Amino acid sequence: MLLSRTRTSIVDIARAAGVSKSTVSLVLQKSPLVSEATREKVNAHIKELGYIYNRGAANLRQSKSKIVGIVVNDLTNSFFAELAVGMDMVVQSAGYVQFLAHSGESVDRQREVIASMRENGIAGLILSPARGTEASDIKALVGGDIPVVVVVRNLPGAKVSTLLSDNYAGAKAAVRHLISLGHSRVAFMGGFQDTAVFGERLRGYRDALQDAGIAAEEKYTIHSAPSRAGGVVALERLMTIPERPTAALCLNDAVAFGVCDGLRAHGLEPGKSFAIIGFDDVIEAKTAVPALTTVSVDPQGMGQRAAQLLLKQINSGQRDQEAITTSVRLVVRQSCGAPVKQLEEMA
Amino acid sequence: MLLSRTRTSIVDIARAAGVSKSTVSLVLQKSPLVSEATREKVNAHIKELGYIYNRGAANLRQSKSKIVGIVVNDLTNSFFAELAVGMDMVVQSAGYVQFLAHSGESVDRQREVIASMRENGIAGLILSPARGTEASDIKALVGGDIPVVVVVRNLPGAKVSTLLSDNYAGAKAAVRHLISLGHSRVAFMGGFQDTAVFGERLRGYRDALQDAGIAAEEKYTIHSAPSRAGGVVALERLMTIPERPTAALCLNDAVAFGVCDGLRAHGLEPGKSFAIIGFDDVIEAKTAVPALTTVSVDPQGMGQRAAQLLLKQINSGQRDQEAITTSVRLVVRQSCGAPVKQLEEMA
DNA sequence: TGACCTTTTTGGAACGTTCCAATTATATAT
DNA sequence: ATATATAATTGGAACGTTCCAAAAAGGTCA
């Protein structure tokens, strides 16, 4: 708990170098006011005494900080881990540090950790909200005092900036591609219906079918946990329905992998017996066998943009909300790939 | 950058409640010295004015903090992400917050971020070192001022506490199991030889062979990046060698999955045509097809233990180093599973 | 030399808290 | 009522910085 017996401060250096603490402060700030000679002398003593700048004291004096808070709903999901890494990159390069915490989809935990971050003086917050977060929750936590950027999951009604991927367009493009390959019985697999992401992707899926004059069968939409295990479960469900689909758009890549697992367990070959498209383009997507056709979201790039947006707002002091949707693109690989004739035969 | 026009402080509350700032401070600390009546009065004003405790100011006064630093070499690797989540859990529950950063295996970045954390007043540090980190590096950064716990990767010579998994025993058990299934040509796949983890697991692999009276063939040790993509590459290499092995212990699960991918690309069936054992037991291991036999390390539990160890040292002020190795266990699933006779035929 | 300008340096107040010693209020015993 | 113990409250210094106004140190020029 003790930070040190009492760590060496600016006045220790001042005393050692025979100058005033103000001068040492100026040296630390690389002010041009101080003469070359004293600057060197002071720097020598700084090095010698192993001085460590106390940014907390400076923050107190200046009523500002170079700390941002990042709260992510699930760090064990590699999509969000990549997102966090992207943020980390730009935050670090800007000379800031981050409190980075994992809410584990718990709004309680999220509330606590945001409160704690605020007490510790963050200058801004990036939030990938836990499932079930209300717009009013964050208003209560950060009442417009600091800029907030909400990413990935929309929080309708919250007076904050948002950075979302274009879920609707991505899903639509994916399903259009499946249709162009000749599929007409296309499922939408995975996810819980209470999330905004699910809703947007489902809408894209439906509209693509409708545009092609295909009626969207209710039974072809199969809910499950948005995870690999959930994908396995969803596939089991799918196998039981009559007029079984020949292709599926999955809520995300994790579900898609689970569906692949499930197909194999049934002796079916993903990409040959059944066409699959994922969503997110996690790193494993391209090395998996078969390589996963998916909608690429570039989570790392998204994290970078989110952090840039936040830093911009911090530095400009501007608090007006900005809503950005980042474009996505369909990456065609093997999992959707076989000629459709063959698929029809096997179904 | 601005934390607020000037956020409401303890004296604002004091003024509003008609008491002294000292009293407000006592209320905040839940001191029994203050009477019930004034406590309620003060708390009411705290709520009304939307007061936010300034922990930075308190830290300054007390020369201590409730912040820990966590630096992880690669957050996009789900093993390390789980590790971080484990730490997050106990850190948060203890009322601390964490600076959590990703070094991306760069020692430069690692150095910078640790320096930055120190300036921001961390009370302790947990480090999963970037590849190539020297013991002297961390001595330079934290000269015994604060407790440090090094996890996962050993840093021989560093005067810090360490928490490592029992790589040697795990690898040995895995190979012993393969031998008991009848395999005699066993490969060790993946990883770079300059890391401590690689060395320890390799040693376990060799000793298990030796104990069984099998000579360890040099050519059966195949280096590659410790990733899924690396596993694919390693398998390609393996396919070219004469007297091809019938089984392999992989450096970690990521490599093992890559090897599975590679086998499939060659029309071979992991677990049937070739036995595979991974290391780490990441979440996907049990849902993959075939389910991966692996050495379970429980990264989340390890993260928890690491955080507990650090907090203990912070609170006790003790700085003597403690070296813990956490035990591991072999989890037998399908990927190593088929009867050996069949494997021999196919090889 | 003194007057003036420029370059460097410097005390001291302030940021929001804690903590100590000292003070004031309240209760209890005589 | 006074004395005394106990409970509750308080002012002010301190933590390590920054920043302002002001002072000191050098130069230049008449």
Side-chain angles (χ1 to χ4, degrees):
Chain A
M1 196 93 86
L2 230 54
L3 220 46
S4 183
R5 13 258 154 225
T6 173
R7 75 191 208 187
T8 91
S9 83
I10 218 179
V11 301
D12 298 314
I13 310 237
R15 194 167 11 240
V19 296
S20 78
K21 62 180 165 34
S22 303
T23 304
V24 177
S25 175
L26 290 174
V27 170
L28 288 170
Q29 306 172 58
K30 305 205 189 311
S31 159
L33 289 182
V34 48
S35 78
E36 195 51 44
T38 48
R39 175 192 315 284
E40 276 170 14
K41 182 174 54 181
V42 169
N43 276 328
H45 287 276
I46 284 179
K47 189 152 290 176
E48 180 184 339
L49 297 190
Y51 166 73
I52 294 178
Y53 181 67
N54 186 332
R55 206 166 281 277
N59 289 346
L60 177 57
R61 175 61 230 258
Q62 305 182 298
S63 298
K64 64 178 188 156
S65 88
K66 287 206 154 202
I67 306 175
V68 304
I70 301 179
V71 181
V72 168
N73 54 298
D74 184 8
L75 263 186
T76 68
N77 178 320
S78 62
F79 177 85
F80 292 102
E82 299 255 354
L83 189 77
V85 167
M87 295 173 186
D88 179 283
M89 289 173 69
V90 350
V91 168
Q92 268 187 55
S93 321
Y96 279 64
V97 233
Q98 64 215 266
F99 290 123
L100 171 50
H102 161 92
S103 68
E105 302 287 10
S106 152
V107 294
D108 287 341
R109 196 164 191 103
Q110 178 176 275
R111 183 171 22 72
E112 283 166 17
V113 77
I114 294 178
S116 169
M117 287 176 173
R118 292 230 55 197
E119 291 189 349
N120 280 281
I122 54 175
L125 174 71
I126 305 183
L127 175 66
S128 168
R131 197 176 305 138
T133 304
E134 304 284 337
S136 58
D137 293 344
I138 56 170
K139 196 165 304 170
L141 284 165
V142 289
D145 287 352
I146 55 171
V148 176
V149 172
V150 166
V151 286
V152 181
R153 294 175 171 177
N154 201 359
L155 224 55
K159 198 180 118 302
V160 296
S161 294
T162 54
L163 184 61
L164 307 168
S165 54
D166 197 339
N167 293 305
Y168 174 78
K172 199 166 173 182
V175 173
R176 197 160 35 211
H177 182 248
L178 288 172
I179 293 170
S180 79
L181 290 175
H183 295 279
S184 58
R185 299 201 302 278
V186 179
F188 183 81
M189 303 178 75
F192 297 120
Q193 55 202 124
D194 61 344
T195 70
V197 174
F198 178 88
E200 291 159 14
R201 293 183 186 174
L202 181 65
R203 203 158 48 78
Y205 156 84
R206 288 199 174 136
D207 284 4
L209 290 176
Q210 186 169 350
D211 287 359
I214 301 171
E217 296 269 357
E218 198 57 55
K219 65 183 176 195
Y220 287 177
T221 297
I222 302 175
H223 299 281
S224 81
S227 61
R228 188 161 186 151
V232 177
V233 172
L235 184 94
E236 289 311 317
R237 204 94 51 75
L238 181 110
M239 297 305 283
T240 69
I241 63 182
E243 290 199 283
R244 200 199 298 161
T246 60
L249 170 63
C250 298
L251 178 78
N252 62 24
D253 288 349
V255 170
F257 287 131
V259 170
C260 289
D261 292 344
L263 285 170
R264 283 209 188 88
H266 278 270
L268 297 174
E269 184 62 17
K272 293 221 179 81
S273 333
F274 191 91
I276 295 177
I277 298 187
F279 211 113
D280 286 352
D281 198 17
V282 301
I283 3 170
E284 301 91 28
K286 81 164 81 44
T287 55
V289 174
L292 192 65
T293 295
T294 187
V295 179
S296 179
V297 173
D298 183 19
Q300 202 156 309
M302 224 176 141
Q304 292 177 351
R305 293 193 61 183
Q308 282 157 354
L309 177 56
L310 183 75
L311 291 177
K312 190 185 79 183
Q313 300 203 352
I314 290 174
N315 290 320
S316 68
Q318 110 195 41
R319 205 112 317 160
D320 43 34
Q321 60 198 93
E322 209 162 326
I324 302 181
T325 76
T326 69
S327 60
V328 297
R329 65 178 222 286
L330 182 68
V331 179
V332 178
R333 300 203 181 93
Q334 277 86 58
S335 70
C336 67
V340 137
K341 293 291 180 297
Q342 196 180 334
L343 289 171
E344 290 288 336
E345 284 160 20
M346 307 209 48
Chain B
M1 196 94 87
L2 230 53
L3 221 46
S4 183
R5 14 259 153 222
T6 173
R7 76 191 204 186
T8 91
S9 85
I10 218 178
V11 302
D12 298 316
I13 310 236
R15 194 168 9 238
V19 297
S20 77
K21 63 179 166 31
S22 305
T23 304
V24 178
S25 176
L26 289 174
V27 170
L28 288 171
Q29 306 171 59
K30 306 205 189 310
S31 161
L33 288 182
V34 48
S35 79
E36 195 51 43
T38 49
R39 176 192 315 284
E40 277 170 15
K41 181 173 54 178
V42 168
N43 275 328
H45 287 277
I46 284 179
K47 188 150 293 175
E48 181 185 337
L49 297 189
Y51 166 72
I52 294 178
Y53 182 66
N54 186 334
R55 207 166 282 277
N59 290 345
L60 176 59
R61 173 61 229 258
Q62 304 182 298
S63 298
K64 66 178 187 152
S65 88
K66 287 207 154 201
I67 306 176
V68 304
I70 301 179
V71 182
V72 168
N73 54 297
D74 184 10
L75 262 186
T76 68
N77 178 322
S78 64
F79 177 85
F80 292 102
E82 300 256 352
L83 189 78
V85 167
M87 296 174 185
D88 179 284
M89 289 173 70
V90 349
V91 168
Q92 268 186 56
S93 320
Y96 279 64
V97 231
Q98 64 216 261
F99 291 123
L100 170 49
H102 161 91
S103 68
E105 301 287 9
S106 153
V107 294
D108 287 341
R109 197 167 189 101
Q110 178 174 276
R111 182 170 24 72
E112 284 166 17
V113 77
I114 294 176
S116 168
M117 286 175 173
R118 291 232 54 199
E119 292 188 349
N120 280 282
I122 54 175
L125 175 70
I126 306 182
L127 176 65
S128 169
R131 196 176 306 140
T133 304
E134 305 284 336
S136 58
D137 292 345
I138 56 169
K139 197 166 303 170
L141 284 165
V142 289
D145 287 352
I146 56 171
V148 176
V149 172
V150 166
V151 286
V152 182
R153 295 175 171 178
N154 201 357
L155 226 52
K159 197 180 121 301
V160 296
S161 295
T162 54
L163 184 62
L164 307 169
S165 54
D166 197 340
N167 294 306
Y168 174 79
K172 199 167 172 179
V175 173
R176 197 160 36 215
H177 182 248
L178 289 172
I179 293 170
S180 80
L181 291 176
H183 295 279
S184 59
R185 299 200 302 280
V186 179
F188 184 81
M189 303 178 74
F192 296 120
Q193 57 202 124
D194 60 344
T195 70
V197 174
F198 179 88
E200 290 159 15
R201 293 183 185 174
L202 182 64
R203 203 157 49 77
Y205 156 82
R206 287 201 174 134
D207 284 5
L209 289 176
Q210 188 170 346
D211 287 359
I214 301 172
E217 296 271 358
E218 197 57 55
K219 65 185 175 193
Y220 287 175
T221 297
I222 301 176
H223 299 282
S224 81
S227 61
R228 188 159 187 154
V232 177
V233 172
L235 183 94
E236 289 312 316
R237 203 96 49 75
L238 180 111
M239 297 305 283
T240 68
I241 64 180
E243 291 198 284
R244 200 200 296 162
T246 60
L249 170 63
C250 298
L251 177 79
N252 61 25
D253 288 349
V255 170
F257 287 131
V259 171
C260 290
D261 292 343
L263 285 169
R264 283 208 188 90
H266 278 270
L268 298 174
E269 185 61 18
K272 293 221 178 80
S273 333
F274 191 90
I276 294 176
I277 298 187
F279 211 115
D280 286 352
D281 197 17
V282 299
I283 3 171
E284 301 92 28
K286 82 164 80 46
T287 56
V289 174
L292 192 65
T293 294
T294 186
V295 180
S296 179
V297 175
D298 185 17
Q300 203 156 307
M302 222 177 144
Q304 292 177 352
R305 294 195 59 183
Q308 282 157 354
L309 177 56
L310 183 75
L311 291 177
K312 190 185 80 183
Q313 299 204 352
I314 289 174
N315 290 319
S316 68
Q318 110 195 40
R319 204 113 318 162
D320 43 35
Q321 61 198 95
E322 211 162 325
I324 302 181
T325 75
T326 69
S327 62
V328 298
R329 66 178 222 284
L330 182 67
V331 179
V332 178
R333 300 203 182 94
Q334 277 85 59
S335 70
C336 66
V340 137
K341 291 291 179 296
Q342 196 180 333
L343 288 172
E344 289 290 333
E345 284 161 21
M346 306 210 48

